[in-house]
Amino acid sequence: MVSVFQAALLAVVTYASSQILMLCWNLGKQVQQARASGLPYYLSPVHVMNVAYWFLLAPIVALDGSISIKNVQKWAPWTAVFRIWQAGYSVFRDLGTDSFFLCSPSGPMLMTCDVHLVKQLLTRAHDFHAPVEVLGLYNIYGPTLAASEGEQWRLYRRITTPFFNQKTYGKVWKESLDKAERLCAQWSRGNDDTRVSHVKEQLMSKLNLRVIAKIFYDQELPYNAENAIKDVAPAGHALTFSEAINAVLSNLATVFSVPKWLLARSPFASHKKAYQGFVEWRQYMLEMRDSVQSRLEWAKQKDEPYFLESLVISSDAASSRDGIRPLTEAEVLGNMFFYVMAGFDTTSTTLSFVFLLLALYPSAQTLLQQELDRVLGSRATCAWDANKDVPELLNGYLGAVISETLRLYHPVAWYARKTVRDTTVTAASGAICRIPKDTIIIIDVAAIGRHPGYWSPSTSPGDDTSIEQSPARDFNPARWLDATDNAAAFPFSAGHRMCPGKRFAEVEMCAILARVFSQFSLRLEADPADVLEAEGPTGHGTAWLEERSRERATRALYEGMGFGHGIYPKVHVPFRIVPRAKAG
């Protein structure tokens, strides 16, 4: 007679065996489809839609950083999924292809940096959709524009995109100049140069968030009397506005994956921080929403309500138009969060890298300042004209600096699409490739930006040391002044899902860079140990010290990348903000 234990064991073994057989069958199916595609394929034990992937991401990135990633990727190219920015074009170069399949038991993935193929992925809306299962990561407060498709996506787009118009861009220009002006005035009052140790955390996150808060939510964040960007938490809040949103963004995968009841009771400090940020930011959003709700009738009378007013009006059943349903509270909060996340994190990261690269290349600063002098002249900041000055600056060297920074240090290392049916695409070689339904496609933005077939290198190829791999070595804004050398650029995506905030971000970055660099320059700060060595008995001197500082910064701009919502400068590259007269 079979005992209860034996029966239970048999059931477990039978179930496990059936699951293994199912996984093997699925993997075999993916391999068969990959073979039919005409593209190379490799096996992968992970899939980007697997929740465990997000928890394993950090430790595997750390592991890959301690061993030879190049050697690992020769036999396991799926590791590029974990180190996609660091890998750049190297995986595709080593495999000898610009596109390859990754077959996993959970489904197929396609990785590509073939620009000809990418253009089809981004523009053929009927064949390729956003993978809402993956982008659901953003829905921690409610449904968002990013993680929606079909009629839901069209509803959100219809409500939010009218806000992005020429009148709004004029306000962005004015507010960005105003916030930068306060900061420059503070620097001018100082008796010494201003030292910046962590550019994103200390400077750009706070500066950018003040612009976003004012334009999107009509919130003037409180200023500290002595510091134009120092946060002040309002009554009823333990975290400031920027601390709350940063706590959410830096722990986005945790907030998404861990049930809130468990997160609230977790003993881990990182979980406590994530939960506090989640609760505090929701409170901020509800307070802003309630403020608009309390004056809703007045807001309805405005010709052009600002972003939050548009969302709240759209949630009012009495205001809904025929065929347009009102938004739920979750949809209002979800899109409030998504738009501040999309506009705040990416722009502040890009500005951070612009500052770091310009500090590394004083000659580029000089060219930028010469252009600012020519375009803006001696006019006071209040006389700068958004309609005239912005197009000239963005089409000149300032715009080239932004574009080159986005090429090398795009804050989002990859875009994703999903096939909605079996379809075909054409590779750059002219080959027809078959892509099965439900394939997740990773568009490798980092690899496109460093593809030698699309961009002429500014430096000779180096060896495999970290400083030689650093994209900072290839920084050359002048390439963008030649219109024929930017066909491989997708900084704001493309097609019907192109970022609606493109012009918003460009105008804001233009204003901040113009205001700061018209008056100040940046200089890398030497490491104290290098200063002692330069001034010691060996007497290396100033030239050696400057070169040593550039080497440290170049290495940090490869080794020192962090990864959260996107890439960001994690290792500090300190610099000083110096008045131009003193810098010269």
Side-chain angles (χ1 to χ4, degrees), residues 45-57:
V46 298
H47 193 280
V48 293
M49 288 173 56
N50 192 325
V51 172
Y53 162 84
W54 298 103
F55 285 100
L56 292 171
L57 180 63

Side-chain angles (χ1 to χ4, degrees), residues 18-31:
S18 67
Q19 291 300 302
I20 292 172
L21 288 173
M22 181 62 70
L23 291 175
C24 291
W25 186 87
N26 286 338
L27 184 59
K29 179 182 177 182
Q30 312 312 328
V31 169

Side-chain angles (χ1 to χ4, degrees), residues 3 5 24 83 101 120 146 186 196 275 322 338 352 408 410 419-420 476 479 490 518 541:
S3 68
F5 174 77
C24 291
R83 288 178 57 87
F101 269 94
Q120 298 165 69
Q186 176 183 310
V196 176
Y275 185 71
D322 291 342
F338 170 71
S352 298
L408 299 173
H410 196 289
T419 50
V420 295
N476 178 23
R479 76 173 75 245
F490 303 99
S518 65

Side-chain angles (χ1 to χ4, degrees), residues 168-177 211 215 504 507-508 511:
T168 295
Y169 303 145
K171 294 177 181 177
V172 173
W173 175 254
K174 180 180 178 298
E175 286 298 328
S176 301
L177 285 179
V211 176
I215 299 298
F504 187 114
V507 171
E508 181 188 351

Side-chain angles (χ1 to χ4, degrees), residues 38-49:
L39 293 171
Y41 69 91
Y42 301 88
L43 303 183
S44 172
V46 298
H47 193 280
V48 293
M49 288 173 56

Side-chain angles (χ1 to χ4, degrees), residues 86-141:
Q86 286 85 351
Y89 183 69
S90 64
V91 177
F92 298 95
R93 179 197 64 207
D94 294 343
L95 296 176
T97 179
D98 283 354
S99 302
F100 59 89
F101 269 94
L102 289 173
C103 303
S104 79
S106 301
M109 295 173 285
L110 172 65
M111 293 193 67
T112 184
C113 65
D114 182 332
V115 167
H116 185 74
L117 192 154
V118 168
K119 289 178 180 178
Q120 298 165 69
L121 299 176
L122 296 178
T123 56
R124 285 167 46 181
H126 294 295
D127 294 322
F128 304 101
H129 284 186
V132 293
E133 307 94 327
V134 177
L135 300 176
L137 178 74
Y138 301 137
N139 291 355
I140 57 174
Y141 292 102

Side-chain angles (χ1 to χ4, degrees), residues 127-163:
D127 294 322
F128 304 101
H129 284 186
V132 293
E133 307 94 327
V134 177
L135 300 176
L137 178 74
Y138 301 137
N139 291 355
I140 57 174
Y141 292 102
T144 64
L145 177 75
S148 60
E149 269 292 354
E151 187 55 42
Q152 184 183 35
W153 178 85
R154 286 188 286 272
L155 171 64
Y156 298 161
R157 189 88 172 188
R158 188 184 303 125
I159 291 169
T160 59
T161 52
F163 169 76

